[in-house]
Amino acid sequence: MAPQAREMFEEVIIADDAVRIAASAALSQLTAFSRWLAVHQRRWSPAAETGQFTARDDLGFAREALRKLDAHPKLLPVIEDVLAELEAEERE
């Protein structure tokens, strides 16, 4: 997960101290939650045999992230890029 997060947000994070601090806190929370899931033998998403999230589900998550993170304008372009990719995937 960390390499994917770094790839998506690196340019934004390294450019601004305030964004880097906020991202660090968020990634620490994400790490803590991931550990909690592992300890409780839970997963981030359903197992493949029970079905994964659809492109429409992912699109909903991205739209929600866009609303929730509107106070962090430097993160919005990254989310908007993901949203555009998901919308294109849904149209296919």
Side-chain angles (χ1 to χ4, degrees), residues 7-86:
E7 180 183 331
M8 289 175 61
F9 293 104
E10 183 173 28
E11 284 184 34
V12 178
I13 291 171
I14 64 174
D16 186 288
D17 287 340
V19 173
R20 185 171 35 260
I21 290 166
S24 176
L27 290 172
S28 294
Q29 291 171 340
L30 183 63
T31 299
F33 185 64
S34 292
R35 287 182 183 143
W36 182 91
L37 288 172
V39 166
H40 291 86
Q41 298 179 342
R42 308 253 176 171
R43 310 175 101 150
W44 273 99
S45 64
E49 60 273 8
T50 63
Q52 295 288 332
F53 292 114
T54 65
R56 179 166 287 167
D57 293 328
D58 291 341
L59 192 53
F61 298 145
R63 287 179 177 144
E64 182 178 353
L66 199 58
R67 284 191 303 275
K68 286 185 174 182
L69 294 172
D70 67 349
H72 299 282
K74 292 193 177 193
L75 297 178
L76 295 181
V78 176
I79 298 168
E80 288 168 348
D81 288 346
V82 170
L83 196 54
E85 289 176 18
L86 291 169

